[in-house]
Amino acid sequence: MASLEGRHAVVTGAGTGIGAAIAEALADEGVRVTLVGRRRDVLERLAARSPERLHPAPADVTDDASLRAAFARAGRERGPVSIVVANAGAAASAPFSRLDPGMWAEMLEVNLTGCYRTFRHGLAAMERGAGWGRLVAVASTAGLKGYPYVAAYCAAKHGVVGLVRALGVELARTGITVNAVCPGFTETPLLERSVRTIVAQGTMSDEEARAALASDSPMGRFIEPGEVARAVLWLCGPGSDAVTGQSVSVSGGATW
Ligand SMILES: NC(=O)c1ccc[n+]([C@@H]2O[C@H](COP(=O)([O-])OP(=O)(O)OC[C@H]3O[C@@H](n4cnc5c(N)ncnc54)[C@H](OP(=O)(O)O)[C@@H]3O)[C@@H](O)[C@H]2O)c1
């Protein structure tokens, strides 16, 4: 892969899980990474691992003004942005009969509208006429197929896949590619919360819940955050110039 050295990336949801793995993988390639998330302490702990390259920028992707301000400050401090990774997300679950309008709105707001806002402010933060840029969304296999009890999350992630397809075509002649990665169940705090929700229903042990989720993948195992990060790195590298509007499933074969 040709060097990404010296580029400036913004990663949302960067403090934990998949976002942290992506931020660290980019930093290892010499990229200066702005870390967006709501918890300052979590971002600062990650940044301490590589203070030259990892820069905390607390912001909430559901709050337009806060996200706009984070991009503006990142641009002033580290120059134009050329890589944007919209990774922040959350997965609340409930049977459809208990999916109230509040949970529906919350899932769309953080997972879909949050991605739209991140791409919008990210594009504005890119250098005009630079002729090179990368927008990457962390969607999900739930953006490509349905799962029970997560209708709002699935709807939002399907929306992200649609957004990436449309924007990829719209920007096709600009040198800016727009793609998604679609992880299957991945070992992160989000997965831990999902397992705890299942166990709390009282029908499965922790081990049984984990086995049930892992069986979604033909490989019968969870994905590691670093495996998702390596797919994102490839989409950011110059070898992927002709790839846009795609949703790359990193799921052990759960979707195609
Ligand atoms: N783990 C899986 O099985 C799996 C599978 C497929 C897709 N995904 C997707 O992968 C992405 C990352 O999730 P993860 O599994 O790595 O879980 P995670 O560790 O919980 O990461 C989510 C991150 O998003 C941040 N975040 C949440 N709401 C935010 C908001 N409103 N504004 C800014 N940041 C926000 C959180 O930090 P703060 O709370 O500090 O803001 C957290 O660092 C999500 O989009 C998720 O849907 C996960």
Side-chain angles (χ1 to χ4, degrees):
M1 182 190 296
S3 177
L4 292 172
E5 180 96 35
R7 293 202 182 274
H8 177 194
V10 175
V11 180
T12 68
T16 58
I18 292 169
I22 293 169
E24 290 201 284
L26 287 167
D28 286 347
E29 294 293 319
V31 175
R32 290 163 295 142
V33 189
T34 296
L35 310 170
V36 172
R38 291 169 302 178
R39 288 167 295 168
R40 178 184 288 275
D41 58 325
V42 170
L43 300 177
E44 284 177 348
R45 255 200 311 279
L46 180 67
R49 294 190 200 167
S50 180
E52 297 293 303
R53 294 197 176 149
L54 298 174
H55 307 274
D60 184 336
V61 302
T62 69
D63 175 347
D64 199 65
S66 122
L67 192 61
R68 184 200 306 265
F71 269 101
R73 186 164 169 214
R76 280 197 305 276
E77 293 180 354
R78 282 173 288 289
V81 173
S82 52
I83 298 169
V84 175
V85 183
N87 164 78
S93 61
F96 191 72
S97 58
R98 291 213 300 270
L99 174 56
D100 62 35
M103 186 190 283
W104 173 264
E106 194 190 319
M107 284 298 96
L108 264 70
E109 187 61 30
V110 63
N111 291 300
L112 177 55
T113 310
C115 177
Y116 148 76
R117 281 195 192 98
T118 303
F119 281 180
R120 189 157 174 267
H121 294 307
L123 266 177
M126 286 182 174
E127 193 177 0
R128 241 172 241 288
W132 193 94
R134 295 287 185 263
L135 301 179
V136 182
V138 178
S140 170
T141 49
L144 300 169
K145 71 171 187 172
Y147 290 89
Y149 312 121
V150 283
Y153 180 74
C154 274
K157 293 295 191 181
H158 274 70
V160 170
V161 168
L163 168 62
V164 158
R165 286 181 180 154
L167 195 55
V169 173
E170 188 169 325
L171 298 181
R173 293 181 186 233
T174 65
I176 299 169
T177 66
V178 190
N179 292 289
V181 288
C182 293
F185 290 105
T186 305
E187 287 275 18
T188 71
L190 182 149
L191 180 75
E192 281 310 316
R193 289 192 293 275
S194 301
V195 169
R196 280 201 299 274
T197 302
I198 296 170
V199 171
Q201 285 154 15
T203 53
M204 281 192 211
S205 67
D206 186 272
E207 204 178 319
E208 286 164 343
R210 289 175 66 82
L213 296 180
S215 72
D216 183 58
S217 163
M219 288 189 183
R221 67 165 176 88
F222 293 135
I223 305 300
E224 292 298 327
E227 294 180 298
V228 183
R230 281 189 288 281
V232 172
L233 263 194
W234 181 76
L235 287 169
C236 291
S240 63
D241 281 350
V243 179
T244 198
Q246 303 304 305
S247 296
V248 180
S249 184
V250 185
S251 66
T255 54
W256 55 86

